[in-house]
Amino acid sequence: MPLAPAPLASAPLIGAADVQRFREEGLLVVPAVCDGGEIEQLRTVLHRLLKQQAGRGEGNFLDMLSLDRQDRDVVQPQIVKPSLYAPVLLRTPHFFRSQAMARELLGPGARFSFDHCILKPAGKVAATPWHQDEAHGPDPAFHYEQVSFWMPLQDVAEDNGCMRYVPGSHRGPLLPHRSPGDDPRIHALECLAGSFDEAAAVSRPVPAGWCVLHAGRTLHGALPNRSDSDRLAYILVFRGPPVPRSEQLHVDWLQAKRTASLERRLRWRYRGGFVVLLLRWLQRALRSDWRELKARMVKLVRRGRGVAPPQRAQTTETARSAPRSMDQSRP
């Protein structure tokens, strides 16, 4: 059964107290965002895309915790921007409810950024490393307040890979990250050991259809799935208006990446995918702030030409990001 379109939600599911809690802790649990019928429909669409490996040639289907080779058993597959391959995902009641909540948290200028889904297959013992979402794609010229709506499509507990968070970590800087095991061929990132206090972490088991919201700098990870059933989560990400940085940001952990999904993406672009990207960019540009539009234009031109971003001096923000007083082992 296809997902039914829905109008914009008339009232958000959160209030002033929830907004304040999110600002203080960098995370918020919102109960019963989706009912059983909508959960089943979302699960059907996403399982179909995962079975098809939708977006693999474009670099959007990938295994985030392995070398991502097609002849290998996947550890933790995900699809970045599944709505590109099933546009109805952005016309669901869930999307419009999340959009309304994002505007409550980030202001009326909040805009949809992207979506993704993550599968933790049954019996996999790999944990999702501790990281901040902002580390995966920081804009060198602008900072964005961000909120992710992490929703499981089945009940999640500590035995099947529930999320873990460090409350209040969003109020600190963007911390130093690296590829797991210092292997740049792995897509995932992990926060450097000793840069945060893992003892302050809390687990957030939730029923299917509940949402855990977290900010772009909120440290989080996920436990392994030791159960006999797959764990599937769908994530919507929204951003506030761009705020110019006082200094250009430099993150060497991204410039060092040499993943298989990146190679597939580059091949796809050189074989004509650049035209598809341009059309997608033009569609989004009509809804973008002019400063964001300019930044995206520069990025698109560089990617199309295969030009690497210029090397920049490390900002004081990043240089101060690893407190020496903490001495935690690597998560």
Side-chain angles (χ1 to χ4, degrees):
M1 180 185 298
L3 289 167
L8 180 65
S10 58
L13 300 178
I14 59 176
D18 297 313
V19 173
Q20 183 61 30
R21 185 177 301 112
F22 180 81
R23 290 174 178 168
E24 291 175 356
E25 298 188 358
L27 65 123
L28 178 70
V29 176
V30 181
V33 176
C34 285
D35 62 23
E38 190 175 356
I39 292 169
E40 181 59 34
Q41 290 175 327
L42 286 167
R43 187 187 296 120
T44 298
V45 171
L46 294 174
H47 273 303
R48 172 175 57 81
L49 295 178
L50 286 163
K51 184 177 181 179
Q52 295 171 349
Q53 297 193 1
R56 181 175 180 83
E58 190 174 343
N60 285 336
F61 177 93
L62 55 96
D63 188 353
M64 58 188 294
L65 293 179
S66 79
L67 296 183
D68 192 24
R69 295 173 178 168
Q70 199 160 17
D71 59 340
R72 300 288 181 89
D73 186 27
V74 295
V75 178
Q76 188 164 296
Q78 75 163 314
I79 300 177
V80 181
K81 303 178 183 179
S83 56
L84 291 177
Y85 316 107
V88 72
L89 289 170
L90 302 187
R91 300 194 298 270
T92 63
H94 171 55
F95 175 82
F96 290 115
R97 292 186 201 107
S98 300
Q99 183 181 65
M101 287 188 281
R103 288 173 177 170
E104 288 294 307
L105 293 169
L106 303 176
R111 297 181 182 277
F112 172 68
S113 181
F114 69 99
D115 59 341
H116 62 124
C117 63
I118 301 176
L119 179 70
K120 277 184 176 289
K124 295 295 183 182
V125 296
T128 305
W130 287 103
H131 65 282
Q132 296 166 299
D133 287 343
E134 188 179 334
H136 278 280
D139 190 311
F142 297 96
H143 172 70
Y144 300 81
E145 292 297 329
Q146 177 174 299
V147 57
S148 296
F149 291 74
W150 189 93
M151 186 176 73
L153 302 181
Q154 65 292 299
D155 297 350
V156 290
E158 292 194 342
D159 69 325
N160 69 335
C162 75
M163 296 291 287
R164 303 190 72 211
Y165 298 92
V166 178
S169 53
H170 68 300
R171 297 195 298 269
L174 177 60
L175 298 172
H177 287 67
R178 70 169 189 171
S179 298
D182 252 348
D183 189 338
R185 297 173 298 173
I186 306 296
H187 175 83
L189 289 174
E190 63 180 5
C191 196
L192 292 187
S195 61
F196 70 103
D197 183 8
E198 189 177 349
V202 296
S203 297
R204 284 293 180 263
V206 291
W210 288 37
C211 268
V212 188
L213 283 55
H214 63 264
R217 288 191 182 179
T218 302
L219 273 161
H220 61 285
L223 294 167
N225 181 8
R226 302 181 185 277
S227 74
D228 56 4
S229 299
D230 292 348
R231 189 222 76 178
L232 178 62
Y234 181 51
I235 304 98
L236 293 167
V237 182
F238 293 83
R239 281 181 168 182
V243 178
R245 297 184 187 273
S246 57
E247 299 179 71
Q248 294 285 314
L249 181 67
H250 171 74
V251 286
D252 56 2
W253 56 81
L254 292 181
Q255 294 174 347
K257 285 291 187 183
R258 299 293 184 270
T259 65
S261 62
L262 178 59
E263 292 176 358
R264 294 196 299 273
R265 183 176 301 120
L266 291 174
R267 286 197 301 268
W268 176 78
R269 286 174 179 167
Y270 287 131
R271 293 172 181 174
F274 181 74
V275 176
V276 178
L277 284 177
L278 179 60
L279 292 174
R280 290 174 184 169
W281 176 82
L282 288 172
Q283 288 179 330
R284 296 196 64 183
L286 297 175
R287 304 187 297 270
S288 297
D289 181 279
W290 70 268
R291 292 167 296 181
E292 184 179 7
L293 181 62
K294 179 180 177 182
R296 285 181 176 174
M297 184 182 296
V298 171
K299 282 185 180 180
L300 193 65
V301 170
R302 285 176 178 161
R303 287 173 179 172
R305 294 176 177 174
V307 177
Q311 298 291 325
R312 300 183 178 96
Q314 189 176 20
T315 65
T316 53
E317 175 186 54
T318 313
R320 293 195 304 264
S321 61
R324 297 180 181 177
S325 59
M326 298 181 182
D327 186 20
Q328 290 294 118
S329 60
R330 181 166 64 88

